[in-house]
Amino acid sequence: MPDEPLIKSRPTYTEVSLRPNTQKHLFVSTAQSLSRIRSLYEAAPKGEKALYLFGKPEVTDLGTECGSLSELDVVINALPLASAVYVAGDEGFLWDVHNLAEKAGLASEQIQLLAPESNKRRLFCTHCYAITEEVTYSPHACSGCGRLLLVRDHYSKLHGAYVGVQINAEDPADIPETEELV
Amino acid sequence: MRMAPKPIQSFRDDFTYSNSPGAIARFPFPFPEDEYMYSVNIEPHVTPGPEGSVYEHLLDIDEHYLSEMHERGLVLEENPKRCLAMPHMDLACWDMIERVMESFSNDYPEYFALTKEGDNWTWENKLLNLKDSFVFGDSSTLPLPPMEYIGRQVQGDFALLDQRDGDLFLDAGIVTCPADWSLAFDAGMSFKDWHGPVPMAHEMGIFDRALKYLCAIPQGRPVRRLNWTLTVNARMDTSPETYPMWGTDRASVTPENVGEKVHLRVELQVLDRMPRSNALMFSIRTYLISLEDLVTNPEWAKRMHRVMKSLPEQLIEYKGLSRYHPMVVEWLSQFDPAN
């Protein structure tokens, strides 16, 4: 079991397994995470599975390359009713795909997310609402307003992002040391 | 209404906001005991409550009505995203329009009037000099989107919570005077997710019990609770959005100005089941009182000191009081004979 997060909105990820009684198993993965989802994909019954990849994988004998989330949206909307979706990648990507699948009518138990492939976070600035991608340390400058943001553990699944709040708003001189995020 | 609206005062810049003696007398002081701890402090909101009190009507209007509506306008002008309604919440917004118009016109007939001919409604708000006719349920017949239209006429923040899968989701709201939470970020969250940052209460099982209770609220049986924090200056908009503007306020408190600058901020939260959408209307009505005004009531002064003195460190930190909390305790101690 993963450790209970201090902030309850932070998602936890459990072991992913093939869902029984499923017409179609759809695997969605970044190139980087292919090695982590590959054995699960191979274990799924032939003819009832598909793999969509984001980015160029080193191994090219597997899957279909998918250019964008909107392409994937078409694929997901064409799935039969009893389908299952498995997603691997960075955390923001996991929730983007999750939200797409949910919008297409899949129940949350039909969507399984592998633990994020890295500590890279998507950051939502509460001051200007800009998104900063691939944040690995805190505090971090906002890509929109430039303010130095404390990266908190409070998470929005809708935005697929953590919240960022200006760290020195009370005392401009008080800037703590940079810390690596986990 | 026993509290006639005063001319517009400000909740920013020069902070001209003030409470009359009548407003002080009816302030919803939130501490029933000398020590504060979280509890599921939810009770039935039975109306009419005591005459003239903040509990008399479903939604309380007071002398700050015009000031708060003006302030709401300023916030929305700066950032229109402080009001939000997901498309599936349209029906819930109309539920809210009905609930506000019905209760205002019944409870404050000198200021509000509603006439209906089938679905053709006419709404008059004499305080804001508004008179609009529209077709109930048809958003295209309103001058503004339904949430913003009604939200600009009612004191306090509002959220509409969609109920599904045994949970409540924050899918619509107008939030211009929050105690440090962002509607734009928290939009769409489940009940426990949007309370994610609250310390201690999750472990105490507060949110499990509260969620069960709230999901079971039937129509016509609203409930209420009080929540509180401290705010420096009479600032309504203590949102994360504007925190870069007000963060330094927290460093501006001194032993000399603490009574004037620090305000007790109390939220009267009311949850009411909507008839068509089954959403919960969640109103968060904020009252501000300076410590100076608060201590004019000796019982409040004494209790406030004891509550502040015994406040757990985690709550001091979470509520953002760390920089000035010791000064508050010290200043209040002069009103507590036990000290």
Side-chain angles (χ1 to χ4, degrees):
Chain A
M1 280 294 287
D3 288 335
E4 275 279 286
L6 210 56
I7 300 272
K8 302 294 171 189
S9 55
R10 185 167 190 188
T12 53
Y13 301 88
T14 49
E15 197 75 15
V16 171
S17 58
L18 288 179
R19 187 172 159 83
N21 306 318
T22 292
Q23 284 170 277
K24 181 98 178 204
H25 300 270
L26 178 70
F27 296 84
V28 182
S29 178
T30 59
Q32 199 189 329
S33 275
L34 181 59
S35 58
R36 299 192 306 132
I37 205 171
R38 186 169 182 158
S39 60
L40 196 68
Y41 170 72
E42 284 170 349
K46 277 201 178 62
E48 296 170 17
K49 61 183 169 185
L51 172 63
Y52 282 84
L53 289 166
F54 284 72
K56 276 240 181 291
E58 282 173 30
V59 193
T60 50
D61 60 324
L62 281 174
T64 310
E65 240 187 277
C66 208
S68 65
L69 285 171
S70 54
E71 263 178 59
L72 183 68
D73 194 29
V74 177
V75 173
I76 288 180
N77 273 288
L79 286 174
L81 204 56
S83 291
V85 177
Y86 312 85
V87 195
D90 273 327
E91 196 165 27
F93 176 76
L94 297 179
W95 289 98
D96 286 345
V97 176
H98 176 279
N99 295 341
L100 215 61
E102 208 169 48
K103 215 171 164 191
L106 278 86
S108 58
E109 57 268 24
Q110 289 174 281
I111 312 163
Q112 295 187 63
L113 311 179
L114 272 75
E117 69 187 14
S118 73
N119 68 338
K120 287 177 188 165
R121 295 190 185 193
R122 179 184 293 164
L123 185 62
F124 177 99
C125 174
T126 42
H127 314 307
C128 76
Y129 301 163
I131 291 287
T132 308
E133 297 280 1
E134 304 197 352
V135 171
T136 57
Y137 55 87
S138 175
H140 196 285
C142 171
S143 63
C145 63
R147 292 189 178 97
L148 200 56
L149 304 178
L150 168 71
V151 183
R152 301 196 59 197
D153 283 345
H154 189 31
Y155 193 78
S156 160
K157 291 165 183 164
L158 191 72
H159 297 297
Y162 292 88
V163 75
V165 181
Q166 188 180 351
I167 197 153
N168 58 339
E170 298 184 17
D171 176 0
D174 185 8
I175 300 176
E177 274 179 48
T178 298
E179 279 180 37
E180 176 96 10
L181 293 165
V182 289
Chain B
M1 173 163 46
R2 281 142 203 97
M3 303 302 299
K6 294 192 294 196
I8 292 171
Q9 297 179 320
S10 63
F11 296 100
R12 52 175 75 201
D13 305 324
D14 56 351
F15 297 104
T16 58
Y17 171 87
S18 67
N19 283 300
S20 68
I24 296 171
R26 76 199 291 276
F27 190 85
F29 188 72
F31 304 115
E33 289 168 52
D34 283 349
E35 253 180 70
Y36 173 78
M37 198 5 94
Y38 289 122
S39 62
V40 185
N41 58 337
I42 308 173
E43 59 184 352
H45 186 38
V46 181
T47 50
E51 203 176 302
S53 77
V54 299
Y55 307 117
E56 183 174 6
H57 300 304
L58 179 72
L59 302 167
D60 182 47
I61 289 191
D62 67 9
E63 63 182 15
H64 306 299
Y65 182 83
L66 295 176
S67 304
E68 288 188 35
M69 294 304 92
H70 179 71
E71 166 70 13
R72 171 151 289 161
L74 294 176
V75 173
L76 289 171
E77 195 180 331
E78 284 165 7
N79 184 353
K81 290 182 176 168
R82 302 290 294 274
C83 176
L84 167 164
M86 295 185 187
H88 66 276
M89 297 305 282
D90 200 52
L91 188 62
C93 291
W94 280 99
D95 274 333
M96 176 177 161
I97 285 180
E98 178 187 53
R99 186 56 46 92
V100 172
M101 290 183 179
E102 292 275 8
S103 54
F104 274 14
S105 55
N106 285 322
D107 297 337
Y108 310 101
E110 64 275 47
Y111 297 122
F112 304 98
L114 177 65
T115 51
K116 298 180 184 177
E117 281 171 46
D119 284 341
N120 296 308
W121 292 23
T122 297
W123 169 247
E124 192 174 5
N125 178 338
K126 293 172 192 162
L127 293 172
L128 297 178
N129 296 316
L130 288 175
K131 190 168 182 178
D132 292 308
S133 295
F134 55 88
V135 179
F136 184 83
D138 182 351
S139 299
S140 71
T141 61
L142 285 176
L144 289 168
M147 170 56 84
E148 185 178 349
Y149 176 72
I150 197 65
R152 280 176 176 270
Q153 301 184 54
V154 53
Q155 282 175 268
D157 285 342
F158 279 75
L160 291 169
L161 314 180
D162 193 32
Q163 187 163 326
R164 52 183 197 268
D165 306 328
D167 208 337
L168 296 166
F169 295 86
L170 189 55
D171 289 349
I174 182 160
V175 176
T176 65
C177 51
D180 209 2
W181 65 279
S182 164
L183 176 68
F185 185 72
D186 287 358
M189 284 191 194
S190 70
F191 185 74
K192 283 182 198 163
D193 279 358
W194 93 72
H195 288 106
V198 181
M200 302 161 86
H202 290 273
E203 289 73 14
M204 291 165 68
I206 299 278
F207 295 118
D208 288 311
R209 280 178 284 149
L211 178 60
K212 272 187 198 155
Y213 187 101
L214 299 181
C215 284
I217 292 174
Q219 273 185 53
R221 306 272 290 277
V223 301
R224 68 176 180 233
R225 71 179 285 259
L226 296 178
N227 197 14
W228 71 276
T229 189
L230 300 183
T231 296
V232 180
N233 299 325
R235 189 182 295 278
M236 269 290 171
D237 185 18
T238 51
S239 61
E241 279 83 348
T242 55
Y243 176 54
M245 265 81 83
W246 57 266
T248 50
D249 289 3
R250 286 177 170 168
S252 72
V253 181
T254 66
E256 290 71 40
N257 68 18
V258 54
E260 178 195 346
K261 269 209 177 263
V262 176
H263 289 66
L264 175 61
R265 181 189 194 95
V266 174
E267 295 176 351
L268 168 56
Q269 304 181 347
V270 172
L271 290 122
D272 191 12
R273 179 71 62 196
M274 296 291 100
R276 299 172 187 78
S277 59
N278 200 43
L280 276 180
M281 182 178 81
F282 182 19
S283 72
I284 308 163
R285 174 76 163 81
T286 293
Y287 299 83
L288 286 168
I289 189 171
S290 67
L291 292 184
E292 250 171 21
D293 282 348
L294 183 138
V295 300
T296 58
N297 179 325
E299 284 307 306
W300 292 354
K302 192 170 73 178
R303 173 147 291 160
M304 188 72 185
H305 172 247
R306 295 175 185 185
V307 168
M308 287 302 125
K309 197 176 170 181
S310 60
L311 200 61
E313 193 54 44
Q314 270 177 289
L315 291 190
I316 295 173
E317 176 71 24
Y318 168 64
K319 289 179 184 284
L321 319 181
S322 305
R323 284 182 199 273
Y324 60 89
H325 175 262
M327 282 185 263
V328 169
V329 176
E330 177 57 31
W331 187 81
L332 286 169
S333 69
Q334 61 184 305
F335 305 102
D336 189 350
N339 229 63

